[in-house]
Amino acid sequence: MDKDRALEDMMGKLGDFGRYQGLQFFLHILSALTAGLHMLSLVTVAAVPEHRCTIDGVDSSNYTASWNSSFVLNAIPLNSHGKLESCKIYGENNTLQTCESWVYNTQYFTSSRGIEWDFVCSRRWMGAAAQTAYMFGVVMGSFVLGRFCDKFGRKTVFVWAGVFQLIFGSLVALATQYYTFIVLRFVYGIFGSGSYIAGFVLTMELVGPSRRTICGVAFQIMFAVGIMFVAGWGYILDNRFYLQILYGLHALILLPHWFLMDESIRWLWSQGRARESVALIEKALKMNGSNEIIDTSALVSQCKATCAKYSDDEAAGTSDLFKSPNMLKKTLIICGCWFANSVVYYGLSLNTGKLNGNPYFLTFLFGIVELPSYIIIVYCLDRVGHRALISTMMLFGGIACLVVVALPHGSNSVTGVVMIGKLFISGSYSIIYKYSAELFPTVVRSSGVGLGSMCASVSGALTPLISLLDTLNPKIPTIIFGLLALLSGFSTFFLPETIGKELPQSVEDGEKFGVNDTCFTNCVGRRMSTASEDLPEAMEPLDNTVKKI
């Protein structure tokens, strides 16, 4: 028995999901809550409420004229939607002039970075840059912390990322200069999703094949709960300083994991630390109430005999994803899907302030609207298949974005259709990781998923900048989001289905996998051939895998 077969047999004794896996999974999934909360924190902390130009002689530090007063209506023109212009005011001889100072509608927000530093009009880029800095931090974190997970261990990265979330989540509230704020936001982003990276990998390496889908979806549910926390705390605490401190303090729930959470059994085994790995198996079996017997000495000997997993591992890398036609096609399409899902997801999530209604309620609704899509995924994924489900959800998400363009600005129907678009794009986003992992062969699987997740992080960083195009035409960002979703949704028709297939191992297997299998030849999630057995593949330690980050 080789080293990997011994590991799989040993893990098989645990079962797919017992009491031990349940406890560890609960500890892992808390990282998704903090990741969602940190990611969307600027929705409240840097909110930009309705605003207009300051009217000299009318508005002062102690008094702001009512929005519909005669002074205001005579001094400020109306825009094409019948609302007050936010950046223009009448000057001498009724000529339009650009504002130099603003007053804000304090119905929902009285304190935010957007109010403090005037993230409006010609300074809107400052708010977009703050979110972009965070997302580029996430890109850096995905790359660096993903590597650290493999080098130093998942648990080590999980806890230390939590420590730095706490530190920089609090420090960013103390920044008094804009560019200091931007630098701190960047570093905050590096660690803001670091525990999520490690936690997701820990779960995928611990639970059995039959539970990986539902556990992966559960991570997305908890991410959505984090978004709801952003809205809930923002509604309760209307002070940007204390609110940001409170967001940062949520990292405290991750620190006890150093004493409660175990390292990945698979990672310990891959590092030749067989005795520690086997000890955790024995602990897990005991907690699960199993009577299975482990031959510790034999397993330790088998593990230490060699540390090589596959002879191709050293040679294969990211470049192999682009060397052959079929692999190149799959790589480009799947990276495009990561990019499109991320840009649409964050494009809709970050623009709740532009919708008509209570921004706290809308943000909360944006989190809760994801839940039905995850229920659909759990029920349909293994019945319908990855390809059909992800393409359908992306196409419907794209159609919803384009329908919004045709609806009256600020209407309740716009809010409803945006929510529907968020539901569908959340569903496709929750599938993309698992589908990517199954498309790529074992020797480059980590590289492929890592490349895709990096595309998602880059598009997330670009999303606030795309949103600035609404200064040219309010419909442009939404049209871009819709077209990207439609294009990527259609492109998935050319990918193979993975349900009921033996996953490719070598680069050569990856090139042959799915040839002539497109939605046009077989568009349902059933087995293409009965020749292959539906056997779970050995799960290797994953590298740099992250979603929504």
Side-chain angles (χ1 to χ4, degrees):
M1 181 185 297
D2 64 29
K3 173 175 172 272
D4 289 304
R5 189 68 262 162
L7 172 63
E8 290 307 314
D9 287 348
M10 185 172 68
M11 293 295 295
K13 294 179 184 295
L14 289 180
D16 282 2
F17 199 88
R19 186 179 302 172
Y20 175 79
Q21 290 99 319
L23 173 61
Q24 294 296 312
F25 171 65
F26 172 75
L27 296 174
H28 302 161
I29 203 173
L30 292 177
S31 62
L33 185 150
T34 61
L37 187 147
H38 296 314
M39 189 79 72
L40 275 298
S41 61
L42 281 191
V43 170
T44 53
V45 172
V48 179
E50 184 182 5
H51 52 279
R52 62 169 174 78
C53 299
T54 300
I55 304 174
D56 292 337
V58 176
D59 298 314
S60 66
S61 58
N62 299 320
Y63 173 78
T64 299
S66 173
W67 246 243
N68 59 359
S69 68
S70 58
F71 293 110
V72 173
L73 294 176
N74 290 331
I76 297 177
L78 301 179
N79 60 26
S80 58
H81 303 297
K83 295 185 177 181
L84 295 176
E85 277 283 358
S86 56
C87 302
K88 299 290 185 180
I89 190 170
Y90 288 122
E92 294 182 4
N93 301 321
N94 280 340
T95 57
L96 285 179
Q97 297 180 351
T98 302
C99 302
E100 295 184 358
S101 61
W102 297 264
V103 295
Y104 296 88
N105 186 337
T106 56
Q107 179 181 3
Y108 298 115
F109 300 97
T110 61
S111 171
S112 78
R113 291 291 192 180
I115 296 173
E116 180 181 337
W117 285 331
D118 293 323
F119 292 164
V120 297
C121 301
S122 62
R123 298 164 63 89
R124 282 186 62 207
W125 65 270
M126 297 173 70
Q131 183 65 23
T132 295
Y134 184 93
M135 295 304 295
F136 273 122
V138 172
V139 175
M140 179 67 72
S142 299
F143 181 78
V144 174
L145 298 183
R147 296 296 184 270
F148 282 3
C149 275
D150 280 336
K151 185 173 182 180
F152 301 111
R154 286 77 163 103
K155 176 181 175 179
T156 301
V157 170
F158 186 104
V159 176
W160 277 106
V163 170
F164 286 111
Q165 283 179 34
L166 176 63
I167 293 172
F168 287 99
S170 301
L171 283 179
V172 75
L174 301 173
T176 56
Q177 299 296 324
Y178 175 73
Y179 289 105
T180 302
F181 176 72
I182 291 295
V183 172
L184 289 173
R185 286 281 304 173
F186 173 75
V187 182
Y188 184 23
I190 293 176
F191 299 104
S193 296
S195 297
Y196 183 101
I197 298 171
F200 194 89
V201 172
L202 279 162
T203 291
M204 292 298 107
E205 293 182 345
L206 179 63
V207 303
S210 68
R211 293 293 183 269
R212 285 177 191 147
T213 296
I214 193 168
C215 287
V217 170
F219 262 81
Q220 307 317 308
I221 292 175
M222 192 59 76
F223 189 94
V225 171
I227 297 176
M228 298 180 212
F229 270 61
V230 170
W233 286 125
Y235 178 77
I236 294 170
L237 188 59
D238 185 19
N239 181 293
R240 67 91 184 157
F241 176 81
Y242 293 113
L243 185 59
Q244 180 60 62
I245 293 290
L246 180 61
Y247 289 157
L249 288 176
H250 280 73
L252 285 172
I253 65 175
L254 305 179
L255 304 191
H257 287 54
W258 185 259
F259 307 100
L260 302 174
M261 192 173 76
D262 294 330
E263 182 55 88
S264 167
I265 294 170
R266 295 179 183 276
W267 181 79
L268 290 170
W269 186 268
S270 71
Q271 299 298 303
R273 294 163 62 176
R275 195 169 297 279
E276 296 171 69
S277 181
V278 173
L280 288 179
I281 288 287
E282 292 175 332
K283 172 185 175 181
L285 288 172
K286 183 178 180 180
M287 186 175 293
N288 287 350
S290 173
N291 295 320
E292 292 280 356
I293 303 299
I294 297 292
D295 188 347
T296 303
S297 59
L299 287 169
V300 170
S301 299
Q302 289 168 355
C303 180
K304 292 186 177 298
T306 175
C307 287
K309 295 187 289 296
Y310 290 99
S311 58
D312 290 338
D313 277 359
E314 294 297 325
T318 304
S319 61
D320 290 276
L321 299 171
F322 302 94
K323 288 182 178 179
S324 53
N326 191 32
M327 285 287 289
L328 174 64
K329 180 191 76 172
K330 290 186 289 188
T331 301
L332 292 179
I333 291 175
I334 209 67
C335 285
C337 288
W338 278 94
F339 187 96
N341 272 281
S342 178
V343 78
V344 178
Y345 181 90
Y346 288 112
L348 296 177
S349 299
L350 293 172
N351 286 294
T352 53
K354 297 179 182 179
L355 299 177
N356 187 33
N358 186 317
Y360 299 113
F361 176 71
L362 291 173
T363 301
F364 183 85
L365 202 58
F366 260 56
I368 206 169
V369 78
E370 297 186 24
L371 303 186
S373 69
Y374 299 143
I375 295 172
I376 294 171
I377 298 286
V378 171
Y379 180 78
C380 296
L381 187 60
D382 292 332
R383 293 174 172 83
V384 177
H386 297 77
R387 177 181 59 201
L389 201 55
I390 195 172
S391 60
T392 300
M393 287 191 152
M394 290 189 72
L395 290 173
F396 278 118
I399 290 170
C401 289
L402 296 183
V403 169
V404 167
V405 175
L407 295 175
H409 178 81
S411 65
N412 291 331
S413 57
V414 168
T415 302
V417 175
V418 167
M419 292 298 173
I420 293 172
K422 179 72 182 302
L423 182 150
F424 283 115
I425 209 67
S426 299
S428 63
Y429 208 167
S430 69
I431 305 170
I432 192 70
Y433 162 72
K434 188 171 185 288
Y435 189 34
S436 302
E438 292 175 346
L439 279 176
F440 295 116
T442 298
V443 294
V444 289
R445 182 163 296 131
S446 293
S447 298
V449 176
L451 180 64
S453 64
M454 187 165 291
C455 289
S457 297
V458 170
S459 69
L462 296 177
T463 300
L465 305 182
I466 294 174
S467 296
L468 292 178
L469 295 176
D470 66 358
T471 56
L472 303 176
N473 187 311
K475 298 179 179 180
I476 290 178
T478 310
I479 291 174
I480 291 175
F481 298 152
L483 291 178
L484 283 174
L486 289 175
L487 179 62
S488 293
F490 180 75
S491 70
T492 58
F493 289 163
F494 297 93
L495 291 175
E497 182 52 70
T498 58
I499 293 291
K501 305 291 184 63
E502 287 189 14
L503 303 188
Q505 297 280 356
S506 64
V507 174
E508 183 180 357
D509 292 338
E511 174 60 18
K512 294 177 182 178
F513 183 73
V515 172
N516 298 323
D517 177 12
T518 70
C519 193
F520 304 104
T521 59
N522 175 52
C523 206
V524 292
R526 62 177 181 266
R527 193 189 308 274
M528 286 285 292
S529 171
T530 57
S532 64
E533 297 181 35
D534 187 10
L535 297 174
E537 184 201 20
M539 172 67 74
E540 289 190 72
L542 301 177
D543 171 35
N544 196 28
T545 54
V546 56
K547 291 177 66 179
K548 291 188 181 175
I549 52 182

